[in-house]
Amino acid sequence: TNSETYRILINYIFSSDPDDADQYEFIDEFCPKDPDTEFLEIFSNGVTQNVHFGLAAFTFTNNADAEIYLHCAVNTYEIILIG
């Protein structure tokens, strides 16, 4: 199987603070959670073997020094060329 026929699609991205239950969803069901957001831009999703998005830096207000983790759920699929 040719790896060029595979694509990656981000399904879900959220951030979390490991010391707290706070989290924030950025992408859900392949789209920005808040379509009016100005701090997230999806440049490429599901087009190639790479996904490109931009996310403005942020902190959780209750702990500005906390580490922040991004969690991603991705789907892979194969394009089948007929002909």
Side-chain angles (χ1 to χ4, degrees), residues 6-77:
Y6 284 90
R7 302 291 183 260
I8 297 175
L9 186 65
I10 290 181
N11 181 15
Y12 184 66
I13 294 181
F14 72 94
S15 65
S16 69
D17 172 349
D19 298 324
D20 198 323
D22 287 347
Q23 69 180 38
Y24 186 84
E25 296 175 339
F26 297 105
I27 296 175
D28 188 24
E29 295 187 13
F30 313 105
C31 298
K33 183 71 174 180
D34 179 0
D36 296 324
T37 188
E38 296 179 5
F39 59 85
L40 171 69
E41 186 172 356
I42 300 173
F43 301 106
S44 172
N45 191 16
V47 179
T48 67
Q49 297 168 344
N50 300 298
V51 173
H52 300 276
F53 66 94
L55 180 63
F58 68 96
T59 61
F60 286 105
T61 57
N62 61 343
N63 188 355
D65 296 327
E67 292 181 356
I68 297 173
Y69 294 86
L70 290 180
H71 308 269
C72 302
V74 299
N75 293 10
T76 60
Y77 62 96

